[in-house]
Amino acid sequence: MKIVGISASGRRDGNTSRLVRYIMNKMSEYGAESEMIEAADMDLRFCTACENCMSKGFCVIDDGYRPAMEKIKAADGIILGSPNYSFNMSAQMKTLFDRSHMLLYYMRALRGKYGIGVSVGGHPYRTDLVAKMLSQGAWLCGGYTVGRICAVSRDRDDREFLDAEKVYANADALALKFYKAINGKKRYFFQNMLRKFTLEPALRRMAMSKKEKYPFLYDFYGKL
Ligand SMILES: Cc1cc2nc3c(=O)[nH]c(=O)nc-3n(C[C@H](O)[C@H](O)[C@H](O)COP(=O)(O)O)c2cc1C
């Protein structure tokens, strides 16, 4: 079992990384292999909306996104971690979402994979919402969301979470649930149905109506 943990904080080894790593270490105790991606170490550029991915099937920007995406595609479980920045996910994480628009989302490249969302904020307002948006990442890309966790660190140099005992207990429970879902290849009926009747028809309609503009997307959906 392979797990990739992403911490999309602007700084490495901050509180987001700490919580992502805590869950990764738990997963390692259960026998998983895990690898951490720190967005702070990545050369990561914004999506320029050139739509080459839609028309030709690959991203023209040659930066840290490609190797990160290969790791994500090779993993069984993905931990998406972001600090709460301005009541939202960080720009780094949003960039990963934007750059994955075609290559993971339209192509449902995380089919059969599992994801969880992790967020740390300076206060609770909207931090759980950030974790929720992150946890939906795997589902949006064809996989399953297993759950989410958020925590508060009163200031950036505070190396302990507020209500730390409760945070670690929640993290332990989430790690176990994550491990069991992946190990047992759990199928989430409701998530499948929701995707089948909401997202997928819209994606297919779009793809099939743009043969000239997005030939790659058209062929991809034509073969599904
Ligand atoms: C640019 C910026 C914006 C922030 N905005 C918020 C915010 O809107 N809400 C919040 O709760 N914390 C906010 N914070 C605090 C961080 O979420 C908090 O310090 C978190 O622990 C940082 O993650 P890190 O330790 O992984 O760097 C912000 C911090 C930065 C640097």
Side-chain angles (χ1 to χ4, degrees), residues 176-193:
L176 185 59
K177 191 176 167 195
F178 194 32
Y179 174 79
K180 281 184 172 170
I182 300 170
N183 198 42
K185 299 195 186 325
K186 185 174 165 109
R187 288 175 59 80
Y188 290 79
F189 178 78
F190 180 71
Q191 291 188 30
N192 279 335
M193 289 300 113

Side-chain angles (χ1 to χ4, degrees), residues 7 9-11 14-17 83-88 120-125 127 153 155-156:
S7 170
S9 171
R11 60 177 186 151
N15 293 311
T16 309
S17 306
N84 178 350
Y85 277 0
S86 309
F87 315 108
N88 218 310
V120 181
H123 47 82
Y125 183 62
T127 301
S153 60
D155 81 67
R156 51 178 272 142

Side-chain angles (χ1 to χ4, degrees), residues 94-138:
K94 182 60 170 49
T95 300
L96 289 174
F97 271 66
D98 293 347
R99 297 278 300 278
S100 300
H101 182 69
M102 166 70 201
L103 301 167
L104 297 185
Y105 168 65
Y106 263 100
M107 295 177 77
R108 302 176 210 163
L110 301 189
R111 250 187 322 263
K113 300 182 191 298
Y114 298 81
I116 60 174
V118 174
S119 183
V120 181
H123 47 82
Y125 183 62
R126 283 175 64 122
T127 301
D128 184 53
L129 181 63
V130 173
K132 187 175 180 185
M133 289 191 286
L134 299 173
S135 76
Q136 287 167 343

Side-chain angles (χ1 to χ4, degrees), residues 19-27 79 116 118 149 171 175:
L19 192 50
V20 169
R21 253 203 200 95
Y22 181 89
I23 295 172
M24 285 171 58
N25 289 342
K26 279 278 152 198
M27 300 295 283
I79 305 173
I116 60 174
V118 174
I149 184 168

Side-chain angles (χ1 to χ4, degrees), residues 36 64 71 77 81 105 122 133 145 149 156 173 190 202-203 207 210 217:
M36 182 83 166
K71 285 177 190 170
Y105 168 65
M133 289 191 286
T145 168
I149 184 168
R156 51 178 272 142
F190 180 71
L203 296 184
K210 301 273 181 184
L217 190 58

